[in-house]
Amino acid sequence: MSSSYSRGQPSPAIQPCRYKTGKTLGAGSYSVVKECVHIDTGRYYAAKVINKRMMQGREHMVRNEIAVLKKISMGHQNILTLVDYFETMNNLYLVTDLALGGELFDRICRKGSYYESDAADLIRATLSAVAYLHDHGIVHRDLKPENLLFRTPEDNADLLIADFGLSRIMDEEAFHVLTTTCGTPGYMAPEIFKKSGHGKPVDVWAIGVITYFLLCGYTPFDRDSNLEEMQAILIADYSFTPLEYWRGVSKSAREFIKRCLTIDPTARMTSHEALMHPWTIGGGETDESENNDLLPVIKKNFNARRTLHAAIDTIRAINKLREGGAAGMMDGALSKDPNRQNDGFVGDGGDKMEIDSRGNARGQTQEQIREQQRRVAETSKGLWGGTRFKQDS
């Protein structure tokens, strides 16, 4: 591990942990974020605890995150500050400010009311931090509501941009462009999918998606599959519909979103231009804005889409089961063949098990599959009045 940090990158010294960790705040594929307290000072922070063994081969991501945070920490009130970083024998620790105010959308849903002007204030704070990043040659690449946190539970708390694991420091003199496909699909710009090279404009695209989401409760390219979502993003296939959800949103807000969701990155607004847009400057208070409370619609749409996608995921699982690609996922018990050698997967009890690769989905009969489908169909009918959902093959 230490050799991975030797090529001109930060090399935290291996030392005893100076922090006592507490409750878990979040988790990723190779890390967990925990509340922690400094043993000597008693001050509370958040520690991203990264398992060295699990992250083997991806050390560059951590080196990069440390480099980015060191460059920008303490420089802007809307960016999470890196307090400390070090290694122990098994883990790498990134210690940051403790954001006690929760995630952006959770905070909105807990409010008693929520107006377009509130959305504009949130976007202005986010853009201010993004412009600061861009001025320092950094592109975030994973802007989304889940990575926007509040410093404290108070109403006037700072909004913080967090999670710089996918961020990059751009080499402006060498006209450095990035080509790796990364990010969260619904918030990714067309040029990322095209692999034509991307940079700072991808953050402005993400701001456009976030703004749309903050005004209606669903994302502009929300589709039943990642492929359909990508196809919609590539041609910017979105609209401000249904009209009933957008009637109370100003033309200025919609024009702001359009300027962000411009396919050509060279024609897209820069972060500084977005900060100077009339909707951002005016805080959402425009002549055509009806100052409607958006919260009921946003919560309704968000919950409806979440329930819909859960049902779609269930139907997909059944289809995969029928194809024999996920035997044993549903109600039927996974069968064991006593005539075969134990060279399959290990079950919870330590027994070797076999997954049949043929199309008859061993472990669940056709009758059981039909019964499962019937139950999902009944559930779907009860939730959405018999609406039929498009399924992926």
Side-chain angles (χ1 to χ4, degrees), residues 31-79:
S31 65
V32 62
V33 179
K34 290 179 173 287
E35 185 178 271
C36 69
V37 59
H38 193 282
I39 296 171
D40 296 332
T41 66
R43 295 190 63 176
Y44 281 83
Y45 301 100
K48 186 174 185 178
V49 186
I50 304 166
N51 185 294
K52 291 183 183 179
R53 182 179 56 82
M54 292 180 66
M55 63 168 283
Q56 209 160 17
R58 291 173 288 191
E59 296 92 341
H60 64 283
M61 293 175 64
V62 183
R63 290 200 309 271
N64 181 78
E65 188 170 2
I66 293 172
V68 168
L69 285 169
K70 282 189 68 178
K71 186 169 183 177
I72 58 174
S73 279
M74 305 296 292
H76 196 283
Q77 67 179 22
N78 298 114
I79 294 176

Side-chain angles (χ1 to χ4, degrees), residues 127 130-131 134 139 143 187 189 191 199-211 256-257 259-262 265 268-274:
L127 271 171
V130 170
H134 290 180
V139 54
L143 291 175
Y187 297 85
E191 60 266 30
K200 297 171 187 176
V202 304
D203 287 342
V204 177
W205 177 280
I207 290 287
V209 177
I210 293 170
T211 304
F256 174 84
I257 292 170
R259 294 285 308 281
C260 292
L261 300 183
T262 299
R268 200 175 300 154
M269 282 193 298
T270 65
S271 54
H272 283 284
E273 288 170 345

Side-chain angles (χ1 to χ4, degrees), residues 18-277:
R18 302 191 301 268
Y19 299 83
K20 182 178 179 180
T21 57
K23 65 182 179 182
T24 299
L25 304 175
S29 56
Y30 61 90
S31 65
V32 62
V33 179
K34 290 179 173 287
E35 185 178 271
C36 69
V37 59
H38 193 282
I39 296 171
D40 296 332
T41 66
R43 295 190 63 176
Y44 281 83
Y45 301 100
K48 186 174 185 178
V49 186
I50 304 166
N51 185 294
K52 291 183 183 179
R53 182 179 56 82
M54 292 180 66
M55 63 168 283
Q56 209 160 17
R58 291 173 288 191
E59 296 92 341
H60 64 283
M61 293 175 64
V62 183
R63 290 200 309 271
N64 181 78
E65 188 170 2
I66 293 172
V68 168
L69 285 169
K70 282 189 68 178
K71 186 169 183 177
I72 58 174
S73 279
M74 305 296 292
H76 196 283
Q77 67 179 22
N78 298 114
I79 294 176
L80 201 66
T81 298
L82 179 68
V83 176
D84 197 0
Y85 60 95
F86 59 93
E87 288 186 54
T88 58
M89 193 62 66
N90 298 313
N91 299 315
L92 179 72
Y93 289 76
L94 302 187
V95 183
T96 65
D97 287 338
L98 181 61
L100 294 172
E103 292 181 7
L104 172 61
F105 199 68
D106 291 338
R107 175 75 161 259
I108 289 172
C109 289
R110 289 198 301 268
K111 289 169 65 73
S113 59
Y114 172 74
Y115 299 93
E116 186 177 320
S117 58
D118 295 319
D121 290 341
L122 294 169
I123 293 300
R124 184 170 60 252
T126 306
L127 271 171
S128 176
V130 170
Y132 177 83
L133 292 175
H134 290 180
D135 286 347
H136 285 76
I138 293 167
V139 54
H140 188 279
R141 299 205 299 179
D142 198 21
L143 291 175
K144 55 185 177 180
E146 294 89 336
N147 287 339
L148 300 175
L149 313 173
F150 285 93
R151 192 183 299 277
T152 68
E154 279 73 39
D155 288 341
N156 61 347
D158 290 332
L159 183 65
L160 303 171
I161 294 181
D163 197 344
F164 288 82
L166 295 179
S167 300
R168 287 293 180 273
I169 299 173
M170 306 289 289
D171 185 352
E172 299 290 349
E173 293 183 2
F175 191 62
H176 182 195
V177 294
L178 304 164
T179 56
T180 304
T181 302
C182 68
T184 302
Y187 297 85
M188 288 163 58
E191 60 266 30
I192 297 179
F193 290 111
K194 293 175 182 176
K195 294 190 176 183
S196 56
H198 65 269
K200 297 171 187 176
V202 304
D203 287 342
V204 177
W205 177 280
I207 290 287
V209 177
I210 293 170
T211 304
Y212 186 106
F213 176 74
L214 291 181
L215 294 173
C216 69
Y218 50 92
T219 53
F221 307 106
D222 190 16
R223 300 295 190 273
D224 289 349
S225 72
N226 286 340
L227 177 61
E228 290 173 322
E229 191 170 54
M230 180 189 72
Q231 290 170 335
I233 289 171
L234 287 171
I235 60 173
D237 179 16
Y238 74 96
S239 60
F240 300 106
T241 56
L243 185 59
E244 61 185 285
Y245 300 146
W246 288 92
R247 189 175 289 113
V249 176
S250 69
K251 292 179 182 177
S252 181
R254 282 177 265 185
E255 199 269 340
F256 174 84
I257 292 170
K258 288 178 182 177
R259 294 285 308 281
C260 292
L261 300 183
T262 299
I263 296 175
D264 181 359
T266 62
R268 200 175 300 154
M269 282 193 298
T270 65
S271 54
H272 283 284
E273 288 170 345
L275 265 176
M276 297 303 294
H277 189 276

